[in-house]
Amino acid sequence: MNDRNSDGSPGAATDGPGPGPASGAGHGPGPGPGHAAGNGGLPDLNQLRTFLAVYRAGAFTAGARVLGVSQPTVTAQIRALEGRLGRELFERGPRGAAPTPFADDLATRIMGPLDALGAAAGAATGPPGEEGPAEPVHLAGPAEFLAHSVLPTLAPLVERGVRLRVSFGLTDALLDELRAGRHDLVVATARPRGRSLAWLPLSDEEFVLVGAPVWAERLGDRIAAEGPAALHGVPLVAYAEDLPILRRYWRHVFGRRLTAVPAVTVPDLRAVRAAVAGGAGVSVLPRYLCAAELASGALVPLHLPEDPPINTGFLVHRPGPPAHPHVALVRDHLVRHERDAAREAAPGRQAVSR
């Protein structure tokens, strides 16, 4: 699952305007969610619906995407609602919109009734006795892990009517897109920083130094005896020019910095696996991705350290209740499947869940 982005953190982009007209009003006693304040009058359904979309999405831009309106429209609706209630609802920051305690209470009160109203309105617009297609779940992550492990796992849900829209990419960019509302769930290779996103540990992947049988015969037991010096001059097959996964293996296992020029680079670990199995050189791969080749003998583990490198993957989503029930269904199904797989794999060296 490990992706190959740099170690730098994603850039921060300010979402939404500064504090609204009721800034600071969230402290101390004040009117409850059901009482009119500020400009007077009860909030209309559009304002409450906009509030709930921003609350669930965690950002003004993401809420606007969910509603299919512009961000200025969302900003105006939230400001109007804050004026009516006389309370600040969100603290705007560089990573999104964090709800105030008052907003948490308001969301708890209106979420059920608004969802029920929306479901009733949606049912009323379709033909009698006929339901429209469910809203799709937008899922993103590393191409190799999603193709190998996630999509086959979700097949039973598709049979039950879940629709999926899958995107591939690197973690930093995908997390920025998640904050902006382009995805519902992201499989990330690093834990998100800050509080703008929620996450669950999904699975661990172990990395293995592998080669074709011809290279295993040439190297024999030299790596155990000589360490990385035994690999001097051996062609390296890598995901990128800077050898990201190989460098991590060298640092973790050998305690050395790897300085080498790869013989082959290809930005897909499945293609790296194919090149190594064909005899092009050696590489480091996640065990889940080459388990079948290791079992068949098409690939051979060249070194079995006591403490192999492990990378934890995370299933990331925006905080708050999901936009629609199928998002939670996919999330819970993936987490449950990985935990079951971990129990079955223990105590072996397959990917395990933490």
Side-chain angles (χ1 to χ4, degrees):
M1 188 195 314
N2 188 66
D3 69 14
R4 283 55 59 183
N5 50 325
S6 66
D7 294 334
S9 61
T14 301
D15 184 89
S23 177
H27 303 287
H35 296 278
N39 295 334
L42 294 174
D44 63 29
L45 287 177
N46 281 336
Q47 291 173 356
L48 293 176
R49 181 168 172 262
T50 299
F51 159 74
L52 197 56
V54 174
Y55 181 86
R56 285 172 162 168
F60 279 70
T61 52
R65 288 180 183 275
V66 170
L67 295 171
V69 300
S70 67
Q71 182 177 324
T73 298
V74 168
T75 300
Q77 291 271 13
I78 296 299
R79 282 181 169 172
L81 181 58
E82 288 178 327
R84 285 177 179 273
L85 297 176
R87 305 295 290 265
E88 184 182 22
L89 295 173
F90 298 100
E91 296 177 0
R92 287 75 162 182
R95 295 291 188 181
T100 64
F102 181 84
D104 288 330
D105 184 42
L106 176 60
T108 300
R109 291 171 180 266
I110 70 172
M111 195 176 297
L114 278 186
D115 286 346
L117 181 62
T125 60
E130 181 179 333
E131 295 182 359
E135 185 176 347
V137 177
H138 293 264
L139 172 68
E144 301 90 347
F145 185 74
L146 263 60
H148 183 278
S149 300
V150 171
L151 292 178
T153 299
L154 295 178
L157 298 187
V158 175
E159 293 182 358
R160 292 165 54 184
V162 172
R163 301 168 66 213
L164 299 172
R165 297 296 180 265
V166 180
S167 302
F168 300 144
L170 302 180
T171 286
D172 284 354
L174 293 180
L175 292 181
D176 283 343
E177 293 170 0
L178 176 63
R179 294 183 183 96
R182 298 182 190 176
H183 312 298
D184 296 310
L185 298 168
V186 166
V187 177
T189 62
R191 189 172 65 185
R193 300 177 179 89
R195 300 180 180 179
S196 63
L197 295 173
W199 50 268
L200 295 165
L202 185 62
S203 66
D204 286 351
E205 57 187 10
E206 174 196 337
F207 291 106
V208 189
L209 180 64
V210 295
V214 61
W215 282 108
E217 293 174 7
R218 293 181 188 180
L219 291 167
D221 297 327
R222 290 178 53 202
I223 298 177
E226 304 174 25
L231 294 165
H232 181 72
V234 176
L236 299 178
V237 183
Y239 180 89
E241 197 71 28
D242 62 345
L243 307 161
I245 303 176
L246 284 152
R247 283 190 294 106
R248 178 178 178 181
Y249 189 95
W250 253 246
R251 183 174 63 250
H252 183 92
V253 174
F254 300 129
R256 306 281 183 84
R257 180 182 178 185
L258 174 61
T259 56
V261 176
V264 179
T265 64
V266 53
D268 189 307
L269 292 180
R270 293 164 297 187
V272 170
R273 178 186 63 193
V276 174
V282 306
S283 191
V284 173
L285 291 170
R287 182 177 285 273
Y288 79 83
L289 194 61
C290 59
E293 287 77 11
L294 291 173
S296 69
L299 290 176
V300 179
L302 303 177
H303 189 47
L304 293 174
E306 291 295 326
D307 179 27
I310 298 291
N311 190 70
T312 301
F314 300 88
L315 189 60
V316 188
H317 57 93
R318 290 183 295 276
H324 57 89
H326 282 182
V327 175
L329 183 63
V330 170
R331 179 194 64 201
D332 296 344
H333 183 84
L334 285 175
V335 171
R336 184 170 58 251
H337 179 272
E338 289 297 329
R339 288 174 179 169
D340 291 345
R343 285 193 291 268
E344 293 176 4
R349 287 186 169 179
Q350 302 297 323
V352 296
S353 197
R354 293 201 289 200

